Amino acid sequence: MPTVPPTPAGPPSRGADSPDYPAAARTAPTLAALDAHLVECRACPRLVAWREEVARERRAAFRDETYWGRPVPGFGDPAAAVVVVGLAPAAHGANRTGRMFTGDRSGDFLFAAMHRTGFANQATSVSADDGLELTGIRVTAPVRCAPPANRPTPEERRRCAPYLARELELVGDGLRVAVALGAIGWQALLTTLAEQGWQVPRPRPAFAHGAEVTLVRGGAGPGSRALTVLGCFHVSQQNTFTGRLTPAMLDDVLRRARALAVA
């Protein structure tokens, strides 16, 4: 499966800076078409300005590299049974490399765990062409551009929501488990699933590490589907450096996801 993000073939298309541009993603017929639409998006002026400023100025350690500096597509198995939903690309991680959770310590932590639990063919993720492949799992985010201070606004999150929604639809009926990294990922995921017709309890389940809720869509008949949402602390350095999230804790969540996916 491809490991390198799509390369735009020229300037953004007309309308890419419109607030309504992401809504057109809902009709993307394939994941490749979705990604091609996504990487041209300029609908959030604050995020566009920040991601491009970071790409121009660059961190000293990466001053000789060309930053991606665009929205970041999802990455992994296109027919995954498990999807991991984070927050947004890191300024000098995915915003630099063009691949989700690649090029920073959060990604190192996440993909090492995926390797230990059998989802990844290698434990490292340093660039979009490093040979990393995921099997049975996909990583994505509700916000696709690096936000200042890692904090997208509620409006930016709402505007970007069609990309996550369509990606989940295109992954298909084989999707069995969604792992939400952090409270924002949890909230965004449940909002998207509710809009897609999944029966999300009211009041909505609160985020917690190890939280587990099974959603149903399509009633109780033969055409019904079940999707289990798991909560996990985000793989941010703030969590991993302090021990709030340990490798064993993340491994346990991913092993639970695997068990549910094959049940």
Side-chain angles (χ1 to χ4, degrees):
M1 65 191 68
T3 59
V4 180
T7 300
S13 63
R14 290 182 61 188
D17 57 352
S18 166
D20 298 327
Y21 181 82
R26 298 185 184 278
T27 62
T30 64
L31 285 169
L34 178 68
D35 292 349
H37 184 279
L38 166 72
V39 299
E40 292 192 351
C41 187
R42 302 177 63 83
C44 298
R46 188 182 78 109
L47 298 188
V48 171
W50 174 248
R51 79 191 192 203
E52 294 181 355
E53 177 184 340
V54 170
R56 285 193 306 271
E57 295 186 355
R58 292 168 289 184
R59 179 171 285 173
F62 309 123
R63 62 180 176 273
D64 295 328
E65 297 188 23
T66 300
Y67 275 52
W68 172 250
R70 290 177 178 265
V72 181
F75 167 69
D77 194 331
V82 180
V83 64
V84 176
V85 179
L87 171 57
H92 301 281
N95 187 57
R96 173 173 61 88
T97 64
R99 193 174 72 190
M100 283 287 175
F101 285 104
T102 295
D104 61 19
R105 291 183 178 179
S106 295
D108 293 342
F109 195 91
L110 177 62
F111 289 118
M114 288 188 181
H115 183 253
R116 290 192 298 269
T117 54
F119 286 110
N121 68 324
Q122 62 190 44
T124 57
S125 178
V126 296
S127 67
D129 59 355
D130 62 5
L132 175 66
E133 293 185 2
L134 304 183
T135 302
I137 199 166
R138 186 174 183 84
V139 290
T140 188
V143 176
R144 303 308 180 97
C145 294
N150 293 320
R151 293 182 180 178
T153 67
E155 176 58 29
E156 289 163 349
R157 288 157 54 186
R158 284 191 295 270
R159 191 173 294 147
C160 204
Y163 294 116
L164 175 62
R166 188 58 180 154
E167 186 172 5
L168 295 178
E169 291 171 348
L170 290 170
V171 169
D173 292 348
L175 182 62
R176 302 288 302 279
V177 184
V179 178
L181 299 180
I184 292 179
W186 176 270
Q187 293 163 6
L189 181 60
L190 291 182
T191 296
T192 294
L193 293 173
E195 292 173 349
Q196 292 179 333
W198 293 92
Q199 297 174 17
V200 177
R202 291 182 176 276
R204 288 186 180 177
F207 170 77
H209 182 84
E212 181 172 326
V213 57
T214 298
L215 311 180
V216 176
R217 185 171 71 177
S224 65
R225 288 181 58 199
L227 176 69
T228 301
V229 179
L230 303 178
C232 179
F233 289 142
H234 197 279
V235 291
S236 66
Q237 293 183 46
Q238 181 179 0
N239 286 338
T240 60
F241 282 10
T242 61
R244 188 177 190 224
L245 178 66
T246 66
M249 291 168 66
L250 181 53
D251 289 357
D252 285 346
V253 172
L254 292 178
R255 290 193 180 102
R256 177 58 178 161
R258 178 177 289 283
L260 289 166
V262 301

